[in-house]
Amino acid sequence: DYLYQPWKVLSESEEAKNSFANKVDVFVVDEFQDLNDIQFDLLSFLAGTRARIIVVGDSDQNIYEFRGSKCSHMTHGFGERYEHTTYLIPRTFRYETALQERL
């Protein structure tokens, strides 16, 4: 309910949307692959036309599908809604094999 109720108000009322949109210059969202539809819409409502949105995520690490998260927001939904630049990080330093490659 803590996500649904604000989403419902903002999606049904232009006055409410205008009260909250365009107040922030930059949003940074980590673990973007775990956003669900409501969270993605809330981000869009709050960003309005003013905010820059920086997202970071890995579509191979989506662990919240049980609560409606969708990698598609990251893999194509974000790009369809916003002009953007994508930066790929092809290597990880989390695993020993990657560390061995560095040595």
Side-chain angles (χ1 to χ4, degrees), residues 91-93 95-103:
R91 293 183 50 185
T92 180
F93 299 103
Y95 309 111
E96 191 171 321
T97 55
L99 289 175
Q100 292 299 324
E101 290 175 18
R102 286 181 31 206
L103 299 175

Side-chain angles (χ1 to χ4, degrees), residues 25-42:
D25 292 325
V26 177
F27 282 98
V28 178
V29 182
D30 193 12
E31 304 296 346
F32 192 71
Q33 75 276 359
D34 291 326
L35 262 66
N36 61 34
D37 291 338
I38 288 176
Q39 291 169 314
F40 190 54
D41 284 348
L42 285 172

Side-chain angles (χ1 to χ4, degrees), residues 1-102:
D1 286 349
Y2 72 94
L3 292 175
Y4 177 72
Q5 293 299 331
W7 173 84
K8 187 167 175 51
V9 169
L10 291 171
S11 64
E12 293 175 354
S13 168
E14 283 299 314
E15 182 181 347
K17 199 182 302 185
N18 292 335
S19 294
F20 289 96
N22 299 310
K23 307 286 188 209
V24 176
D25 292 325
V26 177
F27 282 98
V28 178
V29 182
D30 193 12
E31 304 296 346
F32 192 71
Q33 75 276 359
D34 291 326
L35 262 66
N36 61 34
D37 291 338
I38 288 176
Q39 291 169 314
F40 190 54
D41 284 348
L42 285 172
L43 176 64
S44 297
F45 291 151
L46 295 175
T49 57
R50 173 181 172 179
R52 291 181 52 215
I53 302 173
I54 300 168
V55 302
V56 179
D58 181 348
S59 60
D60 290 332
Q61 294 188 28
N62 180 0
I63 60 172
Y64 289 106
E65 287 178 296
F66 69 91
R67 66 162 178 77
S69 71
K70 294 181 179 176
C71 284
S72 62
H73 292 305
M74 186 177 66
T75 57
H76 64 274
F78 187 82
E80 291 171 0
R81 197 176 286 190
Y82 299 102
E83 187 176 322
H84 70 287
T85 301
T86 300
Y87 299 95
L88 299 177
I89 303 171
R91 293 183 50 185
T92 180
F93 299 103
R94 291 183 175 183
Y95 309 111
E96 191 171 321
T97 55
L99 289 175
Q100 292 299 324
E101 290 175 18
R102 286 181 31 206

